Amino acid sequence: MKTFKYFFATLTLIVAAVSGLSLTSCSDLDETPYTFIDPNSYYSTEAEVETALVATYNRFRRIYSGNNSLYVAHVELLTEQGWPCYTKDNMDNISKWAYANNASTGGVMKVWATAYECINRANIVLGRVEQVSMSEESRNRIKGQALFLRGYTFFHLLRLWGGVPLPLTYTNGIEGLELGRATLDETYEQAIKDIAEAEKLLPERGAANYDVWRISKGACNAALGQIYLYRASMNNNNTEYLSLSRQYSEAVIKSKKYDLMPEFTDNFYWFNANAKNNMESIFELQYSTQSGQSNNMHIRFGIGRTNNDFFGCYQYCRFGVSGFLYQEMVNNGDKRAEALLSYFNGVGDDSKVIRDHYYNAETLRWEPMITNDKGGEHMCVFNLKYFDRLTDYSLQAPNANFGILRYADVLLNYAEASNLLKAGDGIAELNRVRTRAGLPALQSTSQSEIDEDILNQRRYEFVGEAKIYYDELRKDKLADFAAAKCERGVAEGITYLSELVFKPKQNYLFLIPQGDLDGNKALEQNPENVSK
């Protein structure tokens, strides 16, 4: 049964094994299978427990990358941010919400299994670390990282499926694989408990002998600010949760360990060779040119038919960024539009002539026209946040990192919670994000207008970062934005866009993947969603 293959299974636990592995490098997230390892006997030294921790980071990363990178495409396409540029992998059907009540189709379905693999790996670390001889500092750091990864994964799951099973010990064999769902509140509380405990155990960013890419105290506070804000939104802007969100976000700000990069594009490897783990980065997924370590988003989400050194690696086309959104940003004078690909040197129609291609923000067309390998015209722009032109083209191994938490998140979370608690509070933090983008500072205005602007800043700031789906859902704006995209797309003849067939409500949840449901009789399916 599929459950025994994925759900909490550790019979084929993956452990890190690069020859001569050094756990101080941000690229050491590779792995080799050791079949039938018994966690009770194998993880008996500090180095072995560190290996299990690295394997936990690896599985968290896989939620977003490898074949699971279609999850990123899926949640972007469900918003106004993403346009399909190919029918493969059902990109066009995803965009119109064709699978709103389907338990078997779509990139989101893979998250369930991968998330529970990550949780079980974290449980192995937590289950073994107390029995192993090491300094208390090392023990606390290992525990804190594992707790964060487990807690943040629970948060990821609850946003997609609501209350979920909460395994807190590792499995060793096939016993105990069937576990029922906790309530939504219990899932929130476990996620919060894990990350709050991690915050007490972990050092600040920049601590001696602690790699900058590892989860730190600041990441815990940023995550707690995010979780409480999400919970507040889903509970009619509950003031207790808003106050806690503000408190934890403020702790990050007051730590003075982070700041905005001077230019928005400085955050991304395409533009900046020193972008990785910079001062704005709080937690990001690590990639490198080692075998199995490259960033597949560069390959999957490109324009296709581009085997030239301008792009640094070959590309497939799955989806791009909405031309409507790009047009909106350009018309507003928003510098964040510079992170979207609107010009490149590409192969012309005769496949031999190199031509310059420009995206016309008025006509929403590439000039000269570019097409995918099926002849379909590309009408979207593409996201340079994913791309890497700095790595040797011959390696075919793009290694741009992918951000999970940035300081911009913290500023906007603080601004939103503060304004909802008292109109006008937090506007200074909001304006820091606006002014970096080249926008004028927002003057004090009504609470609702500030709140609307904060959502818009998220829409421009986090394009392609798999975040806006959750922000628009919790603000109950997702259906409005998605419907407007599809309606206008049909009217203007945008390739592969068609009318929206489902309008999600704020309480929308995905159905649990059918294979996992079939394999675990203790699970109960979510009810089918009803469109607005």
Side-chain angles (χ1 to χ4, degrees):
M1 289 186 291
K2 186 174 181 180
T3 294
F4 292 153
K5 183 178 179 183
Y6 293 118
F7 196 63
F8 317 149
T10 58
L11 293 179
T12 58
L13 174 69
I14 305 296
V15 296
V18 175
S19 178
L21 179 65
S22 166
L23 291 170
T24 61
S25 169
C26 67
S27 61
D28 292 328
L29 296 176
D30 205 359
E31 46 186 3
T32 297
Y34 285 68
T35 306
F36 298 112
I37 283 178
D38 181 355
N40 293 313
S41 59
Y42 178 76
Y43 298 104
S44 58
T45 69
E46 181 176 347
E48 289 169 351
V49 175
E50 270 283 4
T51 295
L53 177 62
V54 170
T56 309
Y57 273 101
N58 177 284
R59 201 51 45 166
F60 182 89
R61 185 181 68 179
R62 192 163 291 187
I63 291 173
Y64 297 85
S65 61
N67 288 335
N68 277 22
S69 62
L70 289 179
Y71 154 73
V72 177
H74 195 139
V75 294
E76 289 290 307
L77 283 167
L78 292 178
T79 74
E80 88 289 355
Q81 306 270 299
W83 280 4
C85 53
Y86 206 86
T87 57
K88 193 174 179 66
D89 297 312
N90 301 304
M91 297 290 103
D92 53 332
N93 286 322
I94 290 171
S95 192
K96 67 180 182 181
W97 281 79
Y99 304 119
N101 285 302
N102 190 305
S104 302
T105 302
V108 172
M109 294 299 108
K110 294 181 179 180
V111 171
W112 180 279
T114 307
Y116 278 107
E117 289 172 5
C118 177
I119 290 165
N120 197 57
R121 291 183 182 199
N123 286 341
I124 289 174
V125 174
L126 295 168
R128 294 301 301 156
V129 70
E130 298 291 356
Q131 286 76 45
V132 176
S133 176
M134 66 181 77
S135 70
E136 284 307 300
E137 180 182 65
S138 295
R139 194 185 321 278
N140 287 343
R141 290 179 174 187
I142 290 172
K143 286 173 60 178
Q145 291 169 83
L147 282 165
F148 178 96
L149 291 169
R150 186 175 74 177
Y152 202 81
T153 302
F154 283 140
F155 175 57
H156 203 112
L157 287 167
L158 76 83
R159 289 184 298 174
L160 293 170
W161 287 288
V164 296
L166 299 175
L168 302 180
T169 57
Y170 62 83
T171 60
N172 186 24
I174 62 173
E175 296 299 321
L177 292 179
E178 294 190 357
L179 188 63
R181 301 176 66 174
T183 67
L184 178 59
D185 282 340
E186 289 169 341
T187 307
Y188 269 117
E189 290 303 321
Q190 187 61 54
I192 290 166
K193 179 181 178 183
D194 280 352
I195 298 173
E197 185 176 347
E199 189 274 338
K200 296 175 183 176
L201 298 173
L202 290 174
E204 294 275 16
R205 177 190 175 110
N209 302 314
Y210 195 70
D211 302 310
V212 70
W213 59 268
R214 292 180 183 269
I215 295 155
S216 65
K217 188 180 294 291
C220 297
N221 284 323
L224 289 168
Q226 179 189 34
I227 292 170
Y228 275 116
L229 184 60
Y230 195 87
R231 196 177 190 184
S233 299
M234 291 299 195
N235 288 274
N236 297 313
N237 290 330
N238 177 285
T239 56
E240 177 186 357
Y241 300 148
L242 287 173
S243 296
L244 287 165
S245 175
R246 175 179 169 137
Q247 171 188 320
Y248 283 111
S249 297
E250 187 175 38
V252 181
I253 296 169
K254 286 185 172 180
S255 75
K256 299 188 183 301
K257 297 293 183 181
Y258 310 91
D259 203 352
L260 294 179
M261 293 293 283
E263 295 292 335
F264 178 71
T265 52
D266 288 341
N267 285 294
F268 310 108
Y269 198 57
W270 178 273
F271 305 94
N272 177 15
N274 298 312
K276 294 188 175 189
N277 307 302
N278 60 47
M279 66 182 180
E280 186 167 339
S281 169
I282 296 176
F283 176 43
E284 63 187 56
L285 305 182
Q286 309 294 314
Y287 296 93
S288 77
T289 58
Q290 294 178 13
S291 176
Q293 301 299 318
S294 59
N295 187 345
N296 205 41
M297 284 178 266
H298 176 127
I299 297 170
R300 282 192 173 272
F301 305 148
I303 71 171
R305 298 199 308 167
T306 54
N307 199 20
N308 65 64
D309 59 6
F310 179 85
F311 287 101
C313 186
Y314 65 92
Q315 295 183 339
Y316 301 121
C317 53
R318 293 297 179 267
F319 88 109
V321 179
S322 161
F324 299 148
L325 185 71
Y326 177 73
Q327 183 183 69
E328 186 178 339
M329 294 169 74
V330 169
N331 290 343
N332 289 340
D334 195 315
K335 293 167 63 176
R336 288 169 291 197
E338 295 170 7
L340 306 179
L341 180 68
S342 59
Y343 161 82
F344 71 95
N345 295 321
V347 178
D349 294 338
D350 60 4
S351 77
K352 295 180 181 178
V353 179
I354 301 299
R355 297 184 176 182
D356 293 338
H357 295 259
Y358 298 87
Y359 191 81
N360 188 323
E362 294 184 6
T363 64
L364 305 175
R365 297 293 194 277
W366 283 93
E367 300 175 3
M369 182 179 73
I370 58 174
T371 63
N372 62 32
D373 58 358
K374 298 295 184 183
E377 182 181 4
H378 284 322
M379 302 174 76
C380 52
V381 290
F382 298 89
N383 201 334
L384 292 171
K385 295 178 181 180
Y386 304 140
F387 297 172
D388 166 17
R389 64 176 173 181
L390 300 177
T391 300
D392 186 342
Y393 169 68
S394 66
L395 294 175
Q396 298 293 285
N399 71 109
N401 281 1
F402 184 76
I404 302 299
L405 291 167
R406 289 198 277 117
Y407 191 60
D409 291 90
V410 173
L411 291 174
L412 291 175
N413 290 345
Y414 179 87
E416 182 176 337
S418 298
N419 176 59
L420 290 174
L421 286 166
K422 182 182 178 183
D425 281 4
I427 199 167
E429 287 70 25
L430 167 61
N431 280 333
R432 290 205 61 197
V433 176
R434 287 180 59 91
T435 55
R436 181 178 68 170
L439 304 177
L442 188 70
Q443 302 304 309
S444 184
T445 181
S446 71
Q447 185 178 61
S448 61
E449 288 173 330
I450 294 172
D451 194 55
E452 181 180 358
D453 188 72
I454 291 170
L455 179 59
N456 280 331
Q457 297 315 309
R458 294 184 192 277
R459 292 175 57 234
Y460 308 140
E461 183 79 20
F462 303 120
V463 178
E465 297 182 43
K467 296 178 182 181
I468 197 63
Y469 169 86
Y470 300 105
D471 286 317
E472 291 180 355
L473 181 69
R474 68 182 177 83
K475 303 298 284 188
D476 203 20
K477 298 288 187 180
L478 184 55
D480 296 339
F481 281 117
K485 173 190 77 172
C486 290
E487 182 178 345
R488 183 180 170 191
V490 171
E492 300 199 21
I494 304 302
T495 309
Y496 304 127
L497 275 183
S498 51
E499 292 288 351
L500 200 71
V501 298
F502 182 90
K503 294 184 178 180
K505 296 181 178 180
Q506 185 189 39
N507 62 354
Y508 177 84
L509 294 172
F510 287 90
L511 298 186
I512 293 173
Q514 191 61 48
D516 296 284
L517 195 74
D518 292 342
N520 179 6
K521 301 305 180 185
L523 283 178
E524 295 181 5
Q525 183 60 281
N526 282 327
E528 287 203 353
N529 298 282
V530 178
S531 181
K532 281 189 174 181

Short mmCIF file of all heavy atoms in Angstrom, two decimals, residues 229 242-243 245-247 249-250 253 410-432 434 442-455 458 475:
data_model
loop_
_atom_site.label_atom_id
_atom_site.label_comp_id
_atom_site.label_asym_id
_atom_site.label_seq_id
_atom_site.Cartn_x
_atom_site.Cartn_y
_atom_site.Cartn_z
N LEU A 229 -0.13 35.16 12.36
CA LEU A 229 -0.87 36.03 11.45
C LEU A 229 -1.84 35.22 10.61
O LEU A 229 -2.99 35.63 10.40
CB LEU A 229 0.10 36.79 10.55
CG LEU A 229 -0.52 37.82 9.61
CD1 LEU A 229 -1.27 38.90 10.40
CD2 LEU A 229 0.54 38.45 8.72
N LEU A 242 -3.12 38.25 16.57
CA LEU A 242 -2.46 39.40 15.94
C LEU A 242 -1.37 39.96 16.85
O LEU A 242 -0.28 40.32 16.38
CB LEU A 242 -3.47 40.49 15.61
CG LEU A 242 -4.42 40.22 14.44
CD1 LEU A 242 -5.48 41.32 14.36
CD2 LEU A 242 -3.67 40.13 13.12
N SER A 243 -1.66 40.04 18.14
CA SER A 243 -0.67 40.57 19.09
C SER A 243 0.56 39.67 19.15
O SER A 243 1.70 40.16 19.21
CB SER A 243 -1.29 40.70 20.48
OG SER A 243 -2.34 41.65 20.47
N SER A 245 1.55 37.65 16.72
CA SER A 245 2.25 37.80 15.44
C SER A 245 3.14 39.03 15.47
O SER A 245 4.32 38.99 15.08
CB SER A 245 1.23 37.93 14.30
OG SER A 245 1.89 38.20 13.08
N ARG A 246 2.60 40.13 15.94
CA ARG A 246 3.38 41.37 16.04
C ARG A 246 4.57 41.18 16.98
O ARG A 246 5.68 41.61 16.69
CB ARG A 246 2.49 42.50 16.53
CG ARG A 246 3.26 43.79 16.79
CD ARG A 246 2.34 44.90 17.26
NE ARG A 246 3.14 46.03 17.74
CZ ARG A 246 2.89 47.30 17.47
NH1 ARG A 246 1.87 47.63 16.70
NH2 ARG A 246 3.65 48.24 17.96
N GLN A 247 4.35 40.52 18.09
CA GLN A 247 5.42 40.32 19.09
C GLN A 247 6.60 39.55 18.50
O GLN A 247 7.76 39.95 18.67
CB GLN A 247 4.84 39.56 20.29
CG GLN A 247 5.86 39.10 21.31
CD GLN A 247 5.25 38.18 22.35
OE1 GLN A 247 4.12 38.42 22.82
NE2 GLN A 247 5.95 37.12 22.72
N SER A 249 7.31 39.01 15.25
CA SER A 249 7.93 39.74 14.15
C SER A 249 8.81 40.87 14.68
O SER A 249 9.90 41.14 14.16
CB SER A 249 6.85 40.30 13.22
OG SER A 249 6.10 39.27 12.62
N GLU A 250 8.34 41.52 15.74
CA GLU A 250 9.12 42.60 16.34
C GLU A 250 10.43 42.08 16.91
O GLU A 250 11.46 42.78 16.86
CB GLU A 250 8.30 43.28 17.43
CG GLU A 250 8.96 44.52 18.02
CD GLU A 250 8.07 45.24 19.01
OE1 GLU A 250 7.35 44.55 19.78
OE2 GLU A 250 8.08 46.48 19.04
N ILE A 253 12.92 42.06 14.19
CA ILE A 253 13.33 43.41 13.86
C ILE A 253 14.31 43.95 14.90
O ILE A 253 15.37 44.50 14.57
CB ILE A 253 12.10 44.33 13.73
CG1 ILE A 253 11.22 43.88 12.56
CG2 ILE A 253 12.53 45.79 13.57
CD1 ILE A 253 9.86 44.55 12.50
N VAL A 410 8.93 39.57 7.24
CA VAL A 410 8.79 40.01 8.62
C VAL A 410 8.24 41.43 8.68
O VAL A 410 7.33 41.73 9.48
CB VAL A 410 10.15 39.93 9.35
CG1 VAL A 410 10.07 40.55 10.74
CG2 VAL A 410 10.61 38.48 9.45
N LEU A 411 8.77 42.32 7.85
CA LEU A 411 8.29 43.70 7.86
C LEU A 411 6.81 43.78 7.49
O LEU A 411 6.04 44.53 8.12
CB LEU A 411 9.12 44.54 6.89
CG LEU A 411 10.58 44.78 7.30
CD1 LEU A 411 11.32 45.51 6.18
CD2 LEU A 411 10.68 45.59 8.60
N LEU A 412 6.41 43.02 6.48
CA LEU A 412 5.00 43.05 6.06
C LEU A 412 4.11 42.36 7.08
O LEU A 412 2.97 42.80 7.31
CB LEU A 412 4.86 42.42 4.68
CG LEU A 412 5.48 43.23 3.54
CD1 LEU A 412 5.40 42.47 2.22
CD2 LEU A 412 4.81 44.60 3.40
N ASN A 413 4.58 41.29 7.71
CA ASN A 413 3.80 40.64 8.77
C ASN A 413 3.61 41.59 9.94
O ASN A 413 2.51 41.70 10.51
CB ASN A 413 4.50 39.36 9.24
CG ASN A 413 4.49 38.26 8.20
OD1 ASN A 413 3.73 38.32 7.23
ND2 ASN A 413 5.32 37.25 8.39
N TYR A 414 4.69 42.26 10.33
CA TYR A 414 4.60 43.22 11.43
C TYR A 414 3.65 44.35 11.07
O TYR A 414 2.79 44.75 11.89
CB TYR A 414 5.99 43.78 11.74
CG TYR A 414 5.99 44.82 12.85
CD1 TYR A 414 6.09 44.44 14.18
CD2 TYR A 414 5.86 46.18 12.55
CE1 TYR A 414 6.08 45.38 15.20
CE2 TYR A 414 5.84 47.13 13.57
CZ TYR A 414 5.95 46.73 14.88
OH TYR A 414 5.93 47.66 15.89
N ALA A 415 3.77 44.86 9.85
CA ALA A 415 2.90 45.97 9.43
C ALA A 415 1.44 45.56 9.43
O ALA A 415 0.57 46.32 9.89
CB ALA A 415 3.32 46.45 8.04
N GLU A 416 1.15 44.37 8.92
CA GLU A 416 -0.24 43.94 8.85
C GLU A 416 -0.85 43.74 10.22
O GLU A 416 -1.96 44.22 10.52
CB GLU A 416 -0.35 42.64 8.04
CG GLU A 416 -1.78 42.17 7.88
CD GLU A 416 -1.91 40.95 6.99
OE1 GLU A 416 -1.00 40.71 6.16
OE2 GLU A 416 -2.92 40.23 7.12
N ALA A 417 -0.13 43.00 11.09
CA ALA A 417 -0.66 42.77 12.44
C ALA A 417 -0.83 44.08 13.19
O ALA A 417 -1.85 44.31 13.86
CB ALA A 417 0.27 41.82 13.20
N SER A 418 0.14 44.98 13.07
CA SER A 418 0.08 46.25 13.80
C SER A 418 -1.08 47.10 13.33
O SER A 418 -1.82 47.68 14.14
CB SER A 418 1.40 47.01 13.60
OG SER A 418 2.48 46.28 14.13
N ASN A 419 -1.27 47.21 12.03
CA ASN A 419 -2.35 48.02 11.48
C ASN A 419 -3.72 47.47 11.86
O ASN A 419 -4.65 48.23 12.15
CB ASN A 419 -2.23 48.10 9.96
CG ASN A 419 -3.38 48.84 9.31
OD1 ASN A 419 -3.63 50.01 9.61
ND2 ASN A 419 -4.12 48.15 8.45
N LEU A 420 -3.85 46.14 11.86
CA LEU A 420 -5.14 45.55 12.23
C LEU A 420 -5.44 45.71 13.71
O LEU A 420 -6.61 45.71 14.12
CB LEU A 420 -5.17 44.08 11.83
CG LEU A 420 -5.21 43.82 10.31
CD1 LEU A 420 -5.08 42.34 10.01
CD2 LEU A 420 -6.48 44.38 9.68
N LEU A 421 -4.39 45.85 14.52
CA LEU A 421 -4.61 46.10 15.94
C LEU A 421 -4.92 47.57 16.21
O LEU A 421 -5.72 47.90 17.07
CB LEU A 421 -3.36 45.68 16.73
CG LEU A 421 -3.14 44.18 16.87
CD1 LEU A 421 -1.72 43.89 17.36
CD2 LEU A 421 -4.17 43.57 17.84
N LYS A 422 -4.27 48.46 15.44
CA LYS A 422 -4.51 49.90 15.58
C LYS A 422 -4.21 50.56 14.24
O LYS A 422 -3.08 50.52 13.76
CB LYS A 422 -3.62 50.50 16.66
CG LYS A 422 -3.85 52.00 16.87
CD LYS A 422 -2.91 52.56 17.93
CE LYS A 422 -3.12 54.06 18.09
NZ LYS A 422 -2.16 54.64 19.08
N ALA A 423 -5.21 51.15 13.65
CA ALA A 423 -5.08 51.71 12.31
C ALA A 423 -3.88 52.65 12.21
O ALA A 423 -3.70 53.55 13.04
CB ALA A 423 -6.36 52.47 11.94
N GLY A 424 -3.07 52.41 11.21
CA GLY A 424 -1.92 53.27 10.95
C GLY A 424 -0.62 52.78 11.54
O GLY A 424 0.45 53.18 11.09
N ASP A 425 -0.68 51.92 12.56
CA ASP A 425 0.55 51.37 13.11
C ASP A 425 1.20 50.44 12.08
O ASP A 425 0.51 49.76 11.32
CB ASP A 425 0.27 50.59 14.40
CG ASP A 425 0.09 51.50 15.61
OD1 ASP A 425 0.13 52.73 15.42
OD2 ASP A 425 -0.07 50.98 16.73
N GLY A 426 2.51 50.40 12.09
CA GLY A 426 3.23 49.53 11.15
C GLY A 426 3.48 50.14 9.80
O GLY A 426 4.09 49.51 8.93
N ILE A 427 3.03 51.38 9.59
CA ILE A 427 3.17 51.97 8.25
C ILE A 427 4.64 52.24 7.92
O ILE A 427 5.04 52.20 6.75
CB ILE A 427 2.31 53.25 8.13
CG1 ILE A 427 2.10 53.59 6.65
CG2 ILE A 427 2.94 54.41 8.89
CD1 ILE A 427 1.02 54.62 6.42
N ALA A 428 5.47 52.47 8.94
CA ALA A 428 6.89 52.71 8.67
C ALA A 428 7.54 51.44 8.10
O ALA A 428 8.37 51.52 7.17
CB ALA A 428 7.61 53.13 9.95
N GLU A 429 7.16 50.28 8.64
CA GLU A 429 7.72 49.01 8.14
C GLU A 429 7.21 48.71 6.74
O GLU A 429 7.96 48.24 5.88
CB GLU A 429 7.35 47.89 9.11
CG GLU A 429 8.09 47.90 10.42
CD GLU A 429 7.70 49.04 11.35
OE1 GLU A 429 6.54 49.55 11.23
OE2 GLU A 429 8.52 49.45 12.20
N LEU A 430 5.93 49.00 6.49
CA LEU A 430 5.39 48.85 5.14
C LEU A 430 6.15 49.74 4.16
O LEU A 430 6.50 49.30 3.05
CB LEU A 430 3.90 49.22 5.16
CG LEU A 430 3.22 49.41 3.80
CD1 LEU A 430 3.27 48.12 2.98
CD2 LEU A 430 1.77 49.87 3.99
N ASN A 431 6.42 50.96 4.55
CA ASN A 431 7.07 51.89 3.64
C ASN A 431 8.51 51.51 3.34
O ASN A 431 9.05 51.89 2.29
CB ASN A 431 7.00 53.32 4.20
CG ASN A 431 5.64 53.96 3.94
OD1 ASN A 431 4.95 53.60 2.98
ND2 ASN A 431 5.25 54.89 4.79
N ARG A 432 9.16 50.78 4.20
CA ARG A 432 10.50 50.30 3.89
C ARG A 432 10.45 49.37 2.66
O ARG A 432 11.33 49.42 1.80
CB ARG A 432 11.10 49.55 5.08
CG ARG A 432 11.46 50.43 6.26
CD ARG A 432 12.54 49.79 7.10
NE ARG A 432 13.75 49.59 6.31
CZ ARG A 432 14.74 48.76 6.65
NH1 ARG A 432 14.64 48.05 7.76
NH2 ARG A 432 15.80 48.62 5.88
N ARG A 434 8.02 49.38 0.37
CA ARG A 434 7.58 50.19 -0.77
C ARG A 434 8.73 51.01 -1.36
O ARG A 434 8.93 51.03 -2.57
CB ARG A 434 6.45 51.14 -0.34
CG ARG A 434 5.11 50.49 -0.10
CD ARG A 434 4.07 51.55 0.32
NE ARG A 434 3.92 52.56 -0.72
CZ ARG A 434 3.03 52.50 -1.72
NH1 ARG A 434 2.20 51.47 -1.81
NH2 ARG A 434 2.96 53.48 -2.62
N LEU A 442 3.72 55.42 1.55
CA LEU A 442 2.28 55.54 1.75
C LEU A 442 2.00 56.45 2.92
O LEU A 442 2.59 56.30 3.99
CB LEU A 442 1.68 54.14 2.00
CG LEU A 442 0.16 54.03 2.03
CD1 LEU A 442 -0.43 54.25 0.64
CD2 LEU A 442 -0.26 52.66 2.57
N GLN A 443 1.14 57.41 2.72
CA GLN A 443 0.77 58.31 3.80
C GLN A 443 -0.30 57.64 4.66
O GLN A 443 -1.03 56.77 4.21
CB GLN A 443 0.26 59.63 3.24
CG GLN A 443 1.27 60.35 2.36
CD GLN A 443 2.59 60.59 3.06
OE1 GLN A 443 2.62 61.12 4.17
NE2 GLN A 443 3.69 60.21 2.41
N SER A 444 -0.38 58.07 5.89
CA SER A 444 -1.37 57.48 6.81
C SER A 444 -2.76 57.61 6.21
O SER A 444 -3.18 58.69 5.78
CB SER A 444 -1.30 58.19 8.16
OG SER A 444 -2.18 57.58 9.07
N THR A 445 -3.45 56.52 6.17
CA THR A 445 -4.78 56.49 5.57
C THR A 445 -5.64 55.53 6.39
O THR A 445 -5.30 55.22 7.53
CB THR A 445 -4.68 56.07 4.10
OG1 THR A 445 -5.98 56.07 3.51
CG2 THR A 445 -4.04 54.71 3.93
N SER A 446 -6.74 55.06 5.84
CA SER A 446 -7.63 54.21 6.62
C SER A 446 -7.02 52.84 6.84
O SER A 446 -6.16 52.38 6.09
CB SER A 446 -8.98 54.07 5.92
OG SER A 446 -8.85 53.26 4.77
N GLN A 447 -7.50 52.16 7.86
CA GLN A 447 -7.03 50.81 8.18
C GLN A 447 -7.22 49.87 7.00
O GLN A 447 -6.32 49.09 6.66
CB GLN A 447 -7.78 50.28 9.40
CG GLN A 447 -7.28 48.94 9.92
CD GLN A 447 -8.03 48.51 11.16
OE1 GLN A 447 -9.26 48.32 11.13
NE2 GLN A 447 -7.32 48.37 12.28
N SER A 448 -8.37 49.93 6.36
CA SER A 448 -8.66 49.02 5.25
C SER A 448 -7.77 49.30 4.04
O SER A 448 -7.34 48.37 3.34
CB SER A 448 -10.13 49.09 4.85
OG SER A 448 -10.47 50.39 4.41
N GLU A 449 -7.48 50.58 3.79
CA GLU A 449 -6.62 50.93 2.66
C GLU A 449 -5.18 50.48 2.89
O GLU A 449 -4.49 50.01 1.98
CB GLU A 449 -6.68 52.43 2.38
CG GLU A 449 -8.01 52.86 1.78
CD GLU A 449 -8.13 54.36 1.67
OE1 GLU A 449 -7.54 55.10 2.51
OE2 GLU A 449 -8.82 54.83 0.75
N ILE A 450 -4.71 50.61 4.12
CA ILE A 450 -3.37 50.12 4.45
C ILE A 450 -3.31 48.60 4.31
O ILE A 450 -2.36 48.05 3.75
CB ILE A 450 -2.96 50.56 5.88
CG1 ILE A 450 -2.83 52.08 5.95
CG2 ILE A 450 -1.66 49.88 6.30
CD1 ILE A 450 -2.62 52.61 7.37
N ASP A 451 -4.35 47.94 4.79
CA ASP A 451 -4.40 46.48 4.70
C ASP A 451 -4.39 46.02 3.24
O ASP A 451 -3.70 45.06 2.89
CB ASP A 451 -5.65 45.96 5.42
CG ASP A 451 -5.60 44.47 5.66
OD1 ASP A 451 -4.63 43.99 6.28
OD2 ASP A 451 -6.52 43.76 5.21
N GLU A 452 -5.13 46.72 2.41
CA GLU A 452 -5.15 46.39 0.98
C GLU A 452 -3.78 46.60 0.35
O GLU A 452 -3.32 45.79 -0.46
CB GLU A 452 -6.20 47.25 0.27
CG GLU A 452 -6.31 46.96 -1.22
CD GLU A 452 -7.36 47.82 -1.90
OE1 GLU A 452 -8.03 48.62 -1.21
OE2 GLU A 452 -7.50 47.71 -3.14
N ASP A 453 -3.11 47.68 0.74
CA ASP A 453 -1.80 47.94 0.17
C ASP A 453 -0.79 46.88 0.62
O ASP A 453 0.08 46.46 -0.17
CB ASP A 453 -1.29 49.32 0.56
CG ASP A 453 -0.01 49.68 -0.17
OD1 ASP A 453 -0.08 49.94 -1.39
OD2 ASP A 453 1.07 49.64 0.44
N ILE A 454 -0.87 46.43 1.84
CA ILE A 454 0.04 45.38 2.32
C ILE A 454 -0.12 44.12 1.48
O ILE A 454 0.87 43.49 1.08
CB ILE A 454 -0.19 45.09 3.81
CG1 ILE A 454 0.26 46.28 4.66
CG2 ILE A 454 0.55 43.82 4.24
CD1 ILE A 454 -0.14 46.20 6.11
N LEU A 455 -1.36 43.74 1.18
CA LEU A 455 -1.58 42.57 0.33
C LEU A 455 -0.98 42.80 -1.06
O LEU A 455 -0.35 41.89 -1.63
CB LEU A 455 -3.06 42.25 0.23
CG LEU A 455 -3.41 41.03 -0.66
CD1 LEU A 455 -2.73 39.77 -0.16
CD2 LEU A 455 -4.93 40.84 -0.74
N ARG A 458 2.70 42.30 -1.02
CA ARG A 458 3.02 40.87 -1.03
C ARG A 458 2.92 40.32 -2.46
O ARG A 458 3.74 39.51 -2.88
CB ARG A 458 2.06 40.10 -0.12
CG ARG A 458 2.18 40.43 1.35
CD ARG A 458 1.25 39.54 2.17
NE ARG A 458 1.10 39.96 3.55
CZ ARG A 458 1.95 39.66 4.54
NH1 ARG A 458 3.01 38.94 4.26
NH2 ARG A 458 1.74 40.08 5.76
N LYS A 475 -6.87 36.10 3.22
CA LYS A 475 -7.54 37.39 3.13
C LYS A 475 -8.85 37.29 2.36
O LYS A 475 -9.54 38.28 2.15
CB LYS A 475 -6.62 38.41 2.43
CG LYS A 475 -5.27 38.61 3.08
CD LYS A 475 -5.34 39.14 4.49
CE LYS A 475 -5.66 40.61 4.54
NZ LYS A 475 -5.55 41.16 5.93
#
